[in-house]
Amino acid sequence: MEPSNLKILLNGAVMMGYWTVALFFLRYWRSSRDRLFAFFALAFTVMGANSAAIALLRVDDERNYFLYVARLLSFLVILYAIWDKNRAQAGR
């Protein structure tokens, strides 16, 4: 197996993992209606889409800035979700 095909396969596996985690958080959000789970599901969906884009575009160099924008966005969503959850608990 060529290294480029292996990278595509591994990016696909990582994408599947991210989207599986997103589905779990979506299920927890549906049962509890807690916004934290919705934000986490959104963040993992964006990370999975980022991994799919890397695989489909066949990017050999991950230092391109546009690839990190999606990762930055997902981590910012996670930070906002944690901040929002702590702010809501402080107001009780």
Side-chain angles (χ1 to χ4, degrees):
M1 183 177 275
E2 292 181 27
S4 63
N5 290 338
L6 183 62
K7 285 175 71 174
I8 293 171
L9 178 74
L10 290 176
N11 276 328
V14 169
M15 176 198 67
M16 182 194 65
Y18 281 142
W19 285 350
T20 303
V21 171
L23 286 175
F24 276 110
F25 279 122
L26 196 61
R27 185 179 74 179
Y28 294 136
W29 172 74
R30 285 184 60 195
S31 65
S32 69
R33 294 294 181 198
D34 191 358
R35 290 177 11 159
L36 178 77
F37 295 131
F39 283 131
F40 271 56
L42 174 66
F44 280 101
T45 302
V46 170
M47 281 193 253
N50 183 32
S51 183
I54 290 171
L56 292 174
L57 295 174
R58 294 183 179 243
V59 176
D60 291 330
D61 186 16
E62 287 193 15
R63 290 178 290 180
N64 294 330
Y65 71 92
F66 65 90
L67 297 174
Y68 286 108
V69 172
R71 292 177 190 171
L72 177 66
L73 175 69
S74 61
F75 288 123
L76 288 176
V77 167
I78 290 172
L79 286 174
Y80 176 76
I82 294 169
W83 176 79
D84 185 56
K85 182 71 174 179
N86 288 330
R87 184 189 62 166
Q89 287 181 352
R92 284 186 175 178

